[in-house]
Amino acid sequence: KESNYPNITFIELNASEDTVKQQSQIETLITQGIDGIMLQIANTGIASSIDAYVKANNIPTLYYNIRPTTLQEGTYSYVGMNEKSVGYIQAQEVLKVRSNGNAVILLGDQNNESTLLRTSSVMQSLSNTQIKILATAYGNWYDNIAESIMEKWINLNNNIDIVFSNNDDMAVGSIRAIERAGKKLGTNNGEIMVLGVDATPNGIQSIKDGKMYATVKQDGKLEAKIIVDSIVDMINNNKNRTVLIEPEVITIENINEIEKISRGKQIIKETKKMGGDTNLKIKTQKIDSKLAFIDWTLMYKKFEENKNVIPSLIQELKNIITELEEL
């Protein structure tokens, strides 16, 4: 972020989900004369008071990741993942391989909007199918709590076919309980499918190991760029803006391609740090432009109208990255 905006000073503070501390931090920052605030709100219950305070002081404020649900739509700016798409994607991945079955859902934090939207979109997507939701329970994002919940569910009902988890950690915890009970993971009859969210290293490894069926990825680096670009635009133009970033599914079928593109991004980063010959710079610029186009199609839901172009772009990316790796 600093390299893109060398004339802007960024101050990072952590309230550790303490609402009183966060309010105090905001008051101190405004006293110090800051120009804008990027805010992951500690609790949506304090959104109204914080929003009134920053507006009274004419400070552009961008909320991210946690939507300030107590505020009226259109009166604030927000950047975050399209949480409704997360549950929809999970459900669609299951429906590709199963037309019926019994499912359970591991929920995150009860007061988190992500929990509500991810869960409700799974339920809505399955409402007219032969897949039945047997139970839901709050795992509060933790693997050990999810493991305990899953163990109880297995003991109560041996006919669980699908586990939808609001995040990867809980999915991994549920897998431990499933394996301990001697049950198989997979998509066949008598096997259990497990789906997570976040594409964490543990989640990705679980997919590679043939345990977790799928995870839904939020591109954190893309989100960070959009957040910073958005607050700068708000400071300069004083306009509210909302960007919902479309997530993508990761399964064993596409995990290698995604990792290859990630390696390509890392190569670009290292090349920019060290310089490099003209040929190398040209290749990294090509990757940069193509990745930017793919990110744009995902971010602004333009995939349908560009779906014939994307596959060839990905192939070009793979070819260029392979060339870079060989240098």
Side-chain angles (χ1 to χ4, degrees):
K1 60 189 178 186
E2 289 84 354
S3 60
N4 291 336
Y5 298 100
N7 297 322
I8 296 178
T9 300
F10 292 88
I11 302 170
E12 186 174 347
L13 299 174
N14 187 350
S16 301
E17 300 185 5
D18 184 327
T19 56
V20 175
K21 184 177 180 180
Q22 188 167 70
Q23 287 177 309
S24 175
Q25 288 174 339
I26 290 170
E27 291 170 7
T28 300
L29 288 170
I30 291 176
T31 301
Q32 292 173 350
I34 50 94
D35 299 297
I37 297 173
M38 298 170 283
L39 180 64
Q40 180 168 299
I41 199 157
N43 187 307
T44 55
I46 63 169
S48 296
S49 60
I50 284 182
D51 204 63
Y53 186 76
V54 295
K55 284 178 178 174
N57 286 276
N58 296 314
I59 304 297
T61 300
L62 175 69
Y63 299 91
Y64 68 92
N65 282 347
I66 299 176
R67 190 190 293 271
T69 51
T70 55
L71 301 181
Q72 183 179 348
E73 286 286 343
T75 64
Y76 61 88
S77 293
Y78 176 76
V79 171
M81 183 156 64
N82 188 341
E83 299 290 358
K84 287 184 178 179
S85 293
V86 172
Y88 173 80
I89 288 171
Q90 283 186 320
Q92 294 307 307
E93 286 304 305
V94 169
L95 291 172
K96 288 177 183 178
V97 294
R98 294 195 70 101
S99 58
N100 54 61
N102 296 320
V104 292
I105 308 178
L106 290 164
L107 315 179
D109 181 352
Q110 186 172 2
N111 298 315
N112 192 302
E113 186 195 33
S114 298
T115 298
L116 171 64
L117 294 178
R118 292 176 188 182
T119 305
S120 62
S121 58
V122 166
M123 291 180 166
Q124 289 169 8
S125 299
L126 299 176
S127 60
N128 295 318
T129 72
Q130 297 301 309
I131 294 177
K132 180 183 178 182
I133 307 295
L134 295 180
T136 64
Y138 289 100
N140 295 320
W141 310 119
Y142 294 110
D143 61 332
N144 60 325
I145 297 176
E147 183 177 358
S148 178
I149 292 169
M150 193 67 208
E151 186 173 23
K152 291 176 183 177
W153 280 340
I154 290 172
N155 290 335
L156 288 172
N157 191 322
N158 286 322
N159 296 318
I160 296 172
D161 304 300
I162 307 146
V163 178
F164 293 101
S165 175
N166 283 172
N167 77 340
D168 280 353
D169 284 353
M170 293 190 296
V172 169
S174 74
I175 287 170
R176 289 199 298 265
I178 291 167
E179 290 184 314
R180 192 166 54 249
K183 294 187 175 295
K184 292 184 178 181
L185 294 152
T187 60
N188 298 318
N189 289 335
E191 297 178 339
I192 300 177
M193 292 179 68
V194 179
L195 300 94
V197 182
D198 288 337
T200 64
N202 284 342
I204 294 295
Q205 188 59 52
S206 186
I207 292 175
K208 288 181 176 180
D209 293 341
K211 297 179 180 181
M212 192 187 301
Y213 181 76
T215 185
V216 182
K217 178 187 177 184
Q218 176 180 6
D219 191 330
K221 291 182 180 179
L222 172 63
E223 182 185 17
K225 181 180 185 303
I226 294 171
I227 290 169
V228 174
D229 289 347
S230 296
I231 192 64
V232 171
D233 183 57
M234 289 169 62
I235 291 169
N236 292 333
N237 299 308
N238 196 30
K239 290 182 180 180
N240 285 335
R241 58 183 296 171
T242 294
V243 180
L244 295 180
I245 302 168
E246 289 301 316
E248 59 180 316
V249 67
I250 298 179
T251 66
I252 195 64
E253 293 178 354
N254 68 355
I255 198 167
N256 291 331
E257 282 191 5
I258 289 170
E259 287 192 333
K260 198 169 186 65
I261 290 176
S262 295
R263 287 200 303 274
K265 289 183 178 181
Q266 186 61 33
I267 291 169
I268 292 171
K269 185 177 178 181
E270 294 303 318
T271 301
K272 286 179 176 177
K273 280 183 182 178
M274 299 182 295
D277 60 37
T278 304
N279 186 43
L280 197 59
K281 287 180 179 177
I282 291 172
K283 290 182 185 297
T284 57
Q285 286 169 1
K286 283 182 181 179
I287 295 177
D288 252 347
S289 64
K290 294 179 191 303
L291 285 174
F293 180 80
I294 292 173
D295 284 342
W296 175 80
T297 62
L298 293 173
M299 188 193 322
Y300 295 106
K301 303 181 183 178
K302 301 288 187 180
F303 185 80
E304 275 303 310
E305 62 195 68
N306 292 286
K307 62 184 178 183
N308 295 326
V309 180
I310 297 295
S312 61
L313 275 176
I314 290 175
Q315 187 57 53
E316 286 182 53
L317 279 169
K318 289 167 67 179
N319 293 341
I320 295 172
I321 292 168
T322 299
E323 289 179 32
L324 286 173
E325 289 176 329
E326 292 172 352
L327 290 176

